[in-house]
Amino acid sequence: VDGDGLFGQYIYQRIPPLGFLDDLLTQPLVQLFANVPFSGLLLFVALTLGTRFNFDMPRAVRFNAQQAALIDVLLIVPELIGSG
């Protein structure tokens, strides 16, 4: 969600139909995410702790959820560099 507008703009400029699909399909979720206070923190905690010891989930799903949480943290670094 964080990188969609910031990093996705380059591919959307080159492939306009992809940008339209992104606006159509993900924009309601992005608006909801932006309007709920502390939604980023809640999503991070849910992905990190919710999948950590849940052995009912397939291993690949747990790995991908952990990877998504790590990428979310790593996307903060370019934002800090760009704003500073």
Side-chain angles (χ1 to χ4, degrees):
V1 173
D2 297 335
D4 185 45
L6 184 63
F7 300 110
Q9 67 184 346
Y10 303 109
I11 195 166
Y12 301 147
Q13 289 173 353
R14 287 173 176 68
I15 308 170
L18 191 61
F20 172 74
L21 284 175
D22 178 64
D23 287 342
L24 182 69
L25 299 175
T26 62
Q27 210 54 292
L29 294 174
V30 170
Q31 291 298 323
L32 179 69
F33 187 78
N35 291 333
V36 174
F38 300 110
S39 59
L41 180 64
L42 293 173
L43 183 62
F44 176 76
V45 169
L47 285 176
T48 305
L49 298 178
T51 59
R52 182 79 176 161
F53 300 109
N54 188 356
F55 296 109
D56 294 334
M57 295 172 69
R59 188 176 193 285
V61 173
R62 287 187 289 134
F63 175 78
N64 288 335
Q66 293 280 323
Q67 191 176 30
L70 181 63
I71 289 172
D72 191 38
V73 169
L74 291 177
L75 282 175
I76 293 171
V77 174
E79 283 185 37
L80 291 175
I81 292 172
S83 67

